[in-house]
Amino acid sequence: MAAPIVTLATSADLPNLDADEAGLPDALRARGIEPRIAVWNDPNVDWSASDLTVVRSVRDYATDREAFLAWAGSVPRLLNQANLMEWNSDKHYLKELGERGLPVIPTTWLEADVEYSKHQIHTRFPAHGDFVVKPAVSSGGRGTGRYTATDAMSRADAIKHASHELRHGRSVMVQRYLSEIDRSGELSIVYLNGLPAYSVEKKAMLHPRFRSVDEVQDEDVVTSSPASEQEFRWGEQIRSVLHKYISEKCGRDELLLYNRVDIVRGIREGESEFYVMEISLMDGSLYLSADPENLNKFADAIAVRAFW
């Protein structure tokens, strides 16, 4: 029996995958799989020659989302599924999940099809504290900035930032920066084939003068461990809402190869225990190099689907 061919889809600026995933081809090979790496928009790649295509380091999808989604829709046996990546590639999904009961960070949306004056943008920013401005379609932290509401210069920079994104046809998210991130960082729970595999604690990434325009930002991993009982409970709450939504959207549930959920803990009495910051079904790092077992778990998850 010939070894199944699994192609790992990446971007042109990461032709050999992200450094975090450098060991994945060898791990797949050790499991009887023939691994290949290909750039998603390379016209010379025959995607039908693969038994399975896994989307990984496609960090540039946001620069031409329509082309990426057209590609995804043309690839047989793609994981995660193309229709789910269409939904997940625009962070308006957070609004949809919030309407279904998930505790998400309160967000003000500035839509690209509305002409806002500088004053109208200004009035949509928080009156106090720090806040974050970022496009609804972005990858790797591109176009994300942290600003201080009571600092006139910072607020002016935030207006320029939002105006820049809107002029280029990108809807903008305005979110209050949660101070708990500075104290305890962010938590990512990684699910593989529908099961909680491990969790990762990350340091705060957005310092008060943070601004990313074109570069992908790296996230500092603090610790990686099996999901705790509390994290498992949070993850199950998120997973339940997510899969109910998938069933409604697609007419059936879908088994996700991987799913990373980023959350921050709540801080004040009466608020939610946690808030969902992002759900990644596409290009988000799975922190495979944070612990050797993470790489093995992901390779095993792929092998299950390749030999299905």
Side-chain angles (χ1 to χ4, degrees):
M1 178 180 176
I5 298 170
V6 172
T7 298
L8 305 171
T10 186
S11 55
D13 57 341
L14 293 168
N16 296 310
L17 301 177
D18 184 275
D20 183 61
E21 301 169 337
L24 187 54
D26 284 343
L28 293 177
R29 197 172 288 111
R31 288 159 173 78
I33 293 169
E34 180 184 336
R36 296 179 183 177
I37 304 172
V39 174
W40 71 267
N41 53 0
D42 183 347
N44 297 315
V45 177
D46 179 8
W47 299 98
S48 65
S50 299
D51 295 288
L52 186 68
T53 296
V54 176
V55 175
R56 287 311 310 134
S57 309
V58 292
R59 302 290 174 81
D60 59 349
Y61 81 83
T63 62
D64 195 347
R65 179 172 175 259
E66 290 187 6
F68 175 78
L69 294 177
W71 165 81
S74 71
V75 178
R77 293 209 68 194
L78 183 72
L79 295 177
N80 282 316
Q81 295 85 340
N83 56 347
L84 298 182
M85 287 193 290
E86 179 179 6
W87 170 77
N88 192 234
S89 61
D90 185 330
K91 291 182 178 61
H92 279 89
Y93 69 79
L94 290 171
K95 183 177 182 180
E96 297 172 343
L97 292 179
E99 292 170 350
R100 285 165 171 77
L102 268 189
V104 299
I105 297 177
T107 302
T108 297
W109 301 89
L110 304 177
E111 301 300 352
D113 58 356
V114 178
E115 292 187 8
Y116 300 94
S117 67
K118 290 183 179 180
H119 177 72
Q120 287 172 322
I121 294 174
H122 163 78
T123 59
R124 284 162 172 78
F125 292 161
H128 56 85
D130 283 8
F131 63 96
V132 175
V133 173
K134 58 185 175 183
V137 177
S138 68
S139 176
R142 287 188 181 95
T144 299
R146 175 179 170 183
Y147 302 96
T148 300
T150 55
D151 183 287
M153 184 172 294
S154 181
R155 200 173 183 93
D157 286 342
I159 293 172
K160 291 178 183 177
H161 180 179
S163 298
H164 171 80
E165 300 295 341
L166 291 167
R167 280 198 307 272
H168 286 80
R170 295 186 284 265
S171 294
V172 170
M173 307 168 64
V174 180
Q175 297 179 319
R176 185 177 298 282
Y177 184 81
L178 300 183
S179 58
E180 184 63 19
I181 297 174
D182 291 330
R183 288 187 284 272
S184 59
E186 298 176 26
L187 173 69
S188 291
I189 303 175
V190 176
Y191 280 74
L192 299 175
N193 283 331
L195 300 175
Y198 52 89
S199 65
V200 174
E201 295 272 2
K202 298 177 290 184
K203 294 178 182 177
M205 175 178 144
L206 304 182
H207 57 74
R209 292 188 177 182
F210 180 91
R211 173 73 193 280
S212 169
V213 179
D214 297 317
E215 295 182 356
V216 173
Q217 300 300 308
D218 293 326
E219 296 165 295
D220 293 324
V221 175
V222 181
T223 57
S224 178
S225 61
S228 69
E229 182 178 347
Q230 181 187 55
E231 293 162 3
F232 178 80
R233 177 167 52 82
W234 292 347
E236 281 301 290
Q237 182 179 341
I238 297 166
R239 192 180 71 86
S240 175
V241 174
L242 173 62
H243 281 272
K244 183 177 180 181
Y245 177 77
I246 289 174
S247 296
E248 293 174 2
K249 183 177 178 64
C250 303
R252 65 181 187 282
D253 200 357
E254 298 277 8
L255 180 61
L256 305 173
L257 172 61
Y258 57 89
N259 175 22
R260 192 189 90 190
V261 178
D262 296 342
I263 63 179
V264 61
R265 295 171 178 84
I267 54 175
R268 293 192 295 274
E269 185 177 352
E271 290 191 345
S272 175
E273 290 184 290
F274 68 92
Y275 293 94
V276 177
M277 300 186 69
E278 185 173 353
I279 294 177
S280 181
L281 311 182
M282 297 176 52
D283 64 317
S285 174
L286 298 179
Y287 307 108
L288 302 183
S289 60
D291 185 314
E293 279 307 299
N294 295 356
L295 175 65
N296 288 327
K297 289 176 180 178
F298 188 43
D300 285 342
I302 293 174
V304 167
R305 304 298 283 272
F307 288 101
W308 201 297

